[in-house]
Amino acid sequence: QVQLVESGGGSVQAGGSLRLSCEASGLRYRTYTWAWFRQAPGEEREGVAGLRSPGGGTSYADSVKGRFTISQDNANNILYLQMNDLKPEDTAVYYCAARMAALLSAGQSLQRASYKSWGQGTQVTVSL
């Protein structure tokens, strides 16, 4: 059973940056697809960024391309989401997700139904 713990959320002004972290434990496989999702109040949970490991292939939602970067520290089992040029519409609870023993396609990696392991979420608030 994979355990995921997010951190790094907070409040920033528009144009600012935050880096989210997700510490993973209980990893038993060599192959995973990782992702960050977000959910704003009253909205569906949406995929923001995905990463396939090994290989390092990434995918992003159109709304964050060029602003967000997903990466991984393999040695320490930490997933990151670097968020730059933040906008008020980025305000949401951000969740880390993992799919064991699978390299999902770019499209699948941003679909909520593809994942079985989730963190508890971390709040990101962006103000004008």
Side-chain angles (χ1 to χ4, degrees):
Q1 184 75 11
V2 177
Q3 290 85 43
L4 304 171
V5 180
E6 301 97 334
S7 61
S11 297
V12 295
Q13 290 188 319
S17 298
L18 282 173
R19 189 177 77 161
L20 306 182
S21 300
C22 172
E23 295 189 44
S25 59
L27 302 179
R28 298 172 55 193
Y29 299 91
R30 292 188 64 251
T31 301
Y32 288 85
T33 299
W34 304 92
W36 287 97
F37 284 72
R38 67 186 181 187
Q39 188 167 17
E43 302 290 333
E44 296 289 323
R45 191 171 297 186
E46 64 170 346
V48 173
L51 182 149
R52 292 168 286 285
S53 179
T58 57
S59 51
Y60 295 92
D62 288 342
S63 58
V64 306
K65 280 181 182 176
R67 300 189 298 123
F68 290 11
T69 303
I70 187 172
S71 63
Q72 186 178 34
D73 177 349
N74 287 315
N76 296 298
N77 294 327
I78 302 175
L79 185 73
Y80 297 106
L81 184 68
Q82 178 66 45
M83 305 185 295
N84 298 328
D85 190 22
L86 282 161
K87 303 176 181 181
E89 52 263 42
D90 295 318
T91 295
V93 177
Y94 283 71
Y95 297 90
C96 173
R99 173 71 179 269
M100 297 179 289
L103 292 178
L104 301 176
S105 68
Q108 290 174 325
S109 68
L110 298 182
Q111 294 176 3
R112 181 177 183 176
S114 297
Y115 296 90
K116 297 182 179 180
S117 300
W118 295 87
Q120 82 288 350
T122 185
Q123 177 71 45
V124 172
T125 303
V126 185
S127 58
L128 289 171

